[in-house]
Amino acid sequence: GAGTMGSGIALSFLVAGYNVILIDVNAKGLQRGVEFVTNTVSIHYVKKKRLSPQTAERMLKNLSSGTTLDLLAPCDVVLEAVFENLKLKQSIFSELDKIVASPTALLLTNTSTLDINSIMSGIPTQSRLRYCCGMHFFSPAHVMKLVEIIQARHTSPETIAIVRQITKSISKIGVVVQNGDGFVGNRMLLPYGRESAFCLLNDPVKAKSVSDVDLALTRFGMAIGPFVMNDLAGGDIGFLIRKEQGLVRDEKTGLVGKGRIQGMRYSELSDDLVMKLKRIGQKVGKGWYDYDPKKGKGRLPLPSAEVSKFISRYQTPSNTTTTLTHEELVERILYPLVNEGFKILEEGIARKPSDIDVIYIYGYGWPVWRGGPMYWADHEVGLERLLSKLEEFYKRYPGSDYFQPSKLLQKCVSLGMTVEEYYKQKRNKADAALSSKL
């Protein structure tokens, strides 16, 4: 794939000295990807004096491209970065199994949410599965330092070790996590994004505006707010993920997907912003914000009158003028994110709290001085307060299961210890051993 992620990943490997073959079945898409890589190396990096003109020229000789997978036959590492569609990814890996010559070549996926085992089920040759895993980059891939390395069912320890070394060789920070919906970072981002949108609706109080929600989070210390982040990544990405999960209402039939269960708290605001208004972010000049190519190189978020009017359609008529304070917005949006982190630890998707903190500092713009979401919960919020507020929110919004307190959080509070202490004392291993005996 030579889209935003694929071309950014290709650039990361190219700059690190690898020979890179960039593939995209769409010739125009491939051309855009190659131009991005070429211009970034030969113009941007040279202008910034990161590379000399001679080095840039030598580097670009290591880049080749094409529209057929056959070109990947001699590769030792193949990384898929097409859009989030399970059947498409399965078909690609089925083809790669036939094409890639080396039986020990690494076949990796950059999926951000899909089940790795399901993706790799498209590979007929079982012996290849030990060399398959996830290598999830963050957008923009050539800038962001984080890579989630996802262990699938059959991934060998040797493959994980090699991918960790590869990650280090391209100057990225790798964190090994287990397979699961959204892995660590994006799973925690799900309640963050959903509750941000809910805060725009009066149930019964609401945020002043889209920009006020973002301001509350940037004042907290986040690099960017949730709506700017959505516009930067592309609202269509999240929409396709929700569609794959069966949450989106079908445009033709009007029926909701099977993933939207009865009683689930769900707003179609974000879906309709994409489907009805075609507002998918910076790349088209309009998302939650407007973008003017003459202002801030087209990257400056400008409040949108169209979006404000559109949001009002999803609000229930009310006489109340009460608005959420910035402190309340932080609690509503970040507490469920942290709660999801506790559930991830509980399920063994992440090995320890500090892994989650590293993921959020290097992948999601969490303020370093707050120490990561789990550290923040332990040392700034306090787990008793976190639990109390989550219980309050869950009582008020029972259809949002991300407010339902984690059992691990409840256990830490009952023991009077932080989650950091719980892991340092290896109580997680003791509890797991006890559970297996029972």
Side-chain angles (χ1 to χ4, degrees), residues 17-86:
Y18 287 83
N19 293 317
V20 176
I21 305 172
L22 186 59
I23 302 292
D24 200 302
V25 295
N26 183 299
K28 288 184 179 179
L30 178 64
Q31 185 181 353
R32 283 194 299 270
V34 171
E35 284 176 357
F36 167 76
V37 174
T38 303
N39 291 341
T40 304
V41 171
S42 63
I43 299 174
H44 183 67
Y45 286 176
V46 170
K47 188 177 180 181
K48 294 264 186 178
K49 296 186 177 179
R50 283 184 57 179
L51 298 171
S52 68
Q54 296 78 14
T55 302
E57 186 179 352
R58 284 197 304 271
M59 195 174 283
L60 289 172
K61 287 180 181 177
N62 294 332
L63 175 67
S64 57
S65 62
T67 56
T68 61
L69 292 177
D70 292 345
L71 294 171
L72 301 177
C75 292
D76 293 315
V77 180
V78 179
L79 182 54
E80 166 273 314
V82 301
F83 61 87
E84 296 290 80
N85 181 282
L86 180 58

Side-chain angles (χ1 to χ4, degrees), residues 195-252:
E195 201 54 35
S196 296
F198 274 121
C199 285
L200 298 173
L201 311 179
N202 49 343
D203 56 352
V205 292
K206 65 180 182 67
K208 291 177 184 176
S209 62
V210 168
S211 58
D212 196 53
V213 174
D214 279 343
L215 182 60
L217 273 297
T218 53
R219 281 186 174 174
F220 170 82
M222 299 295 285
I224 53 176
F227 296 112
V228 170
M229 178 190 284
N230 188 274
D231 280 358
L232 184 62
D236 54 328
I237 304 298
F239 173 77
L240 288 171
I241 290 169
R242 294 190 296 275
K243 192 172 183 179
E244 191 75 22
Q245 293 170 335
L247 297 172
V248 174
R249 186 181 297 278
D250 189 281
E251 287 184 272
K252 295 178 181 177

Side-chain angles (χ1 to χ4, degrees), residues 249-261:
R249 186 181 297 278
D250 189 281
E251 287 184 272
K252 295 178 181 177
T253 65
L255 300 174
V256 298
K258 293 179 180 179
R260 206 191 305 181
I261 59 175

Side-chain angles (χ1 to χ4, degrees), residues 79 108-113 116 133-138 144-151 160 163-164 167 172-178 180-189 344 349-350 355-356 358-360 362-364:
L79 182 54
L108 313 174
T109 175
N110 179 58
T111 183
S112 58
T113 55
I116 307 286
C133 74
M135 193 176 184
H136 177 215
F137 287 75
F138 289 74
M144 299 300 286
K145 299 292 288 183
L146 180 72
V147 173
E148 280 181 324
I149 302 167
I150 304 105
Q151 184 157 1
I160 293 296
V163 175
R164 289 182 71 176
T167 304
K172 304 290 185 186
I173 295 167
V175 179
V176 178
V177 302
Q178 297 301 307
D181 190 20
F183 318 123
V184 173
N186 280 350
R187 176 171 164 182
M188 291 171 67
L189 199 66
I344 284 165
I349 304 295
D355 280 357
I356 295 175
V358 168
I359 286 170
Y360 260 77
Y362 288 102
Y364 294 89

